[in-house]
Amino acid sequence: MAILKIYTYPDEVLRRRAEPVEDGGDSAFQELISDMVETMYDAPGIGLAAPQVGVSKRLCVVDITSGEDPGALLVLVNPEITETWEKDTREEGCLSVPGFFYEVTRPSRISVRFQDRHGQPAELLAEGLLARAIQHEIDHLNGVLFVDRLGLVKKELFKRRYRQNLSEAVVS
Ligand SMILES: [Zn+2]
């Protein structure tokens, strides 16, 4: 297993719509999943999508317990949200946008259809933090970052703060 490089904003791999996974069974794919899980726990984060490690495939891993509960790890291949209910607003961050946290409004309960790491079809009802994490990761598969979901004013604030951090980094 290996810790993978996490690509950060504004890298263009984060903006691409990822390709469906069709080679689910092979060992390179299983290794990619294991490496993504290790990278997520190492970061640490509660979710990681393949485009964040430079692989434009529809695959993400989620564990809202950050590895504390071995049964909590979810590997979602070709995930699709089939239904959503209600909405709530909570602060989010992203390993690809380090240092920035903003409140984002999303559906609070979802139904998601996917394949597991061995290609078996599955369906899951999720709510609260788990529903939010899964939606955040599926956004990555569509080239969407959480800062894209902010209102106009907050989005401008993010861009300004981001440029400011960048110029400070160049100076120091
Ligand atoms: Zn993210």
Side-chain angles (χ1 to χ4, degrees):
M1 292 207 286
I3 306 290
L4 305 170
K5 177 194 165 186
I6 296 177
Y7 289 69
T8 53
Y9 176 92
D11 197 288
E12 68 89 27
V13 71
L14 299 169
R15 291 309 191 183
R16 245 183 273 161
R17 187 180 163 83
E19 296 292 324
V21 173
E22 277 151 18
D23 53 353
D26 75 14
S27 61
F29 184 69
Q30 296 303 322
E31 196 178 323
L32 170 65
I33 292 170
S34 301
D35 288 348
M36 282 176 58
V37 170
E38 199 182 355
T39 304
M40 169 177 72
Y41 289 153
D42 178 71
I46 61 168
L48 190 68
Q52 292 182 275
V53 295
V55 178
S56 199
K57 284 189 178 172
R58 303 191 77 77
L59 158 70
C60 59
V61 295
V62 173
D63 181 351
I64 58 167
T65 76
S66 300
E68 264 171 49
D69 174 3
L73 175 65
L74 273 173
V75 176
L76 307 170
V77 178
N78 299 326
E80 242 179 280
I81 292 166
T82 53
E83 213 171 335
T84 65
W85 298 269
E86 295 132 41
K87 278 184 186 223
D88 69 358
T89 303
R90 245 170 110 159
E91 194 175 74
E92 277 183 39
C94 178
L95 296 174
S96 292
V97 194
F100 292 89
F101 299 89
Y102 294 105
E103 288 193 335
V104 180
T105 301
R106 297 184 188 270
S108 51
R109 286 197 302 140
I110 60 167
S111 176
V112 57
R113 199 185 296 154
F114 60 100
Q115 288 132 41
D116 71 9
R117 64 187 295 165
H118 303 294
Q120 292 303 309
E123 198 154 7
L124 175 79
L125 273 172
E127 60 182 1
L129 181 59
L130 181 60
R132 178 170 294 273
I134 291 171
Q135 291 173 84
H136 178 114
E137 299 314 322
I138 292 177
D139 269 358
H140 276 301
L141 306 183
N142 296 324
V144 174
L145 297 173
F146 82 108
V147 289
D148 300 329
R149 295 202 173 274
L150 302 176
L152 222 54
V153 173
K154 274 193 189 165
K155 211 182 287 182
E156 279 311 308
L157 194 69
F158 161 70
K159 285 183 186 160
R160 203 177 327 144
R161 274 188 52 201
Y162 174 80
R163 280 194 296 266
Q164 212 164 28
N165 286 7
L166 213 61
S167 57
E168 277 164 18
V170 170
V171 168
S172 57

